[in-house]
Amino acid sequence: MKIYTTLHIGEFHTNHCEDFFVNEPIASNERLIAVLDGCTMGTESVFASILYSKILRNLCKLKFYEEFVSSNPTTIKSKLKEVIKQLIIETKLIKNQLGLETNELLSTLIIGIIDTASSKAEFIAIGDGLICVDGELIEYEQNDKPDYLGYHMSEDFENWYESQKQKLSVSKFNDLSICTDGIFTFKNFKDKSKQKSESEIINHLLIDNQSSEFDNFLDRKIKILKDNFDHVVTDDLAIIRVITT
């Protein structure tokens, strides 16, 4: 199994890339993957994406150690729920310590745990974005009004989590991707008549596997779009693609 990642700042953003990603081991045969997209209208929107990512990376280290010393294995579904719960707990502590406002904690989040031995996966999308499983697209679109995690810090976790509809269980996959909605923003400014469709861009980045032998597989594909077809991404973009070998 190979995991490819890429992170690009959009042409319309000048100071910071507001997207981020996480790709970390959480158990012997499990990895946590996530893509995050900070709200442009939020306060210092890059901060929320990076904050959540740093917390998630630390939680992965703790969970990995817990699995090492414990004889009670848990399912990836229950582990994902526990990670989200701990993410909220840790964020609330930091929010109080730093006196943060809700507007400083706005980032979408597609997060999942994959079993690298069985190629199973569990996901939840908080906000918008795209998941591609063996060519099948699951788009989470919230009409440019994402329901950010930062809005729900004070709610009862169990009730909130059970009410979430954007959950996905994958029993088996060969090629799986998660990405922020920047994937829908590639533009050809030099010749609009040669603008590629969203489906062509998605097929190129998330389905076609030519050059997958290279570790910078996704970066190469984005470079091809720019150098060969004059297509640049206008919004920030984070992609994680997992191909079984």
Side-chain angles (χ1 to χ4, degrees):
M1 181 175 287
K2 294 195 69 173
I3 301 180
Y4 308 91
T5 61
T6 192
L7 181 67
H8 285 265
I9 187 170
E11 289 290 310
F12 293 164
H13 289 179
T14 55
N15 294 325
H16 303 286
C17 177
E18 297 167 358
D19 288 10
F20 217 72
F21 68 81
V22 180
N23 169 30
E24 294 288 332
I26 193 170
S28 298
N29 295 307
E30 297 168 5
R31 295 192 75 86
L32 182 144
I33 60 173
V35 291
L36 305 94
D37 180 3
C39 173
T40 301
M41 301 305 293
T43 303
E44 296 151 352
S45 51
V46 64
F47 173 77
S49 295
I50 295 177
L51 174 63
Y52 291 148
S53 296
K54 297 293 186 180
I55 295 172
L56 288 171
R57 287 175 176 172
N58 188 54
L59 288 174
C60 286
K61 294 175 184 177
L62 295 174
K63 292 293 182 185
F64 196 101
Y65 177 75
E66 287 175 6
E67 187 233 21
F68 180 75
V69 299
S70 173
S71 58
N72 298 316
T74 58
T75 66
I76 57 175
K77 188 172 186 176
S78 61
K79 190 173 293 184
L80 177 61
K81 179 180 178 180
E82 180 62 23
V83 166
I84 299 295
K85 183 177 182 179
Q86 289 300 316
L87 172 62
I88 292 175
I89 291 172
E90 294 290 335
T91 301
K92 287 167 67 175
L93 288 173
I94 295 172
K95 180 178 185 288
N96 292 334
Q97 289 172 345
L98 299 182
L100 300 175
E101 301 293 336
T102 297
N103 210 41
E104 297 175 272
L105 297 172
L106 302 184
S107 178
T108 66
L109 173 64
I110 296 180
I111 180 172
I113 297 178
I114 57 176
D115 186 318
T116 57
S118 64
S119 297
K120 294 180 180 179
E122 291 287 340
F123 289 97
I124 182 171
I126 305 169
D128 48 24
L130 180 68
I131 300 178
C132 180
V133 183
D134 295 328
E136 178 185 354
L137 304 178
I138 303 97
E139 181 183 355
Y140 298 106
E141 169 57 47
Q142 298 186 338
N143 300 316
D144 292 325
K145 295 181 179 179
D147 189 22
Y148 296 108
L149 182 64
Y151 292 153
H152 304 282
M153 292 290 157
S154 61
E155 295 182 22
D156 177 80
F157 175 78
E158 293 295 334
N159 291 336
W160 172 79
Y161 195 82
E162 292 307 313
S163 71
Q164 297 306 294
K165 306 300 182 185
Q166 298 184 162
K167 297 173 184 173
L168 178 67
S169 297
V170 180
S171 59
K172 182 77 173 180
F173 70 87
N174 295 309
D175 192 339
L176 181 150
S177 300
I178 60 174
C179 59
T180 58
D181 61 1
I183 196 168
F184 301 115
T185 69
F186 280 87
K187 300 295 182 185
N188 185 335
F189 292 115
K190 294 185 177 180
D191 188 346
K192 293 183 179 180
S193 67
K194 295 182 179 180
Q195 173 68 43
K196 290 185 175 295
S197 65
E198 288 182 357
S199 61
E200 289 176 304
I201 298 292
I202 289 170
N203 182 79
H204 176 69
L205 293 173
L206 308 185
I207 298 173
D208 177 72
N209 60 10
Q210 185 175 355
S211 301
S212 61
E213 68 271 19
F214 296 103
D215 291 338
N216 63 344
F217 169 54
L218 290 175
D219 289 329
R220 293 170 69 96
K221 282 188 162 293
I222 290 176
K223 191 173 188 300
I224 287 171
L225 285 172
K226 183 176 182 179
D227 294 349
N228 296 3
F229 301 102
D230 297 319
H231 278 63
V232 293
V233 63
T234 58
D235 192 10
D236 301 333
L237 174 63
I239 305 175
I240 297 178
R241 184 170 173 184
V242 186
I243 301 178
T244 60
T245 55

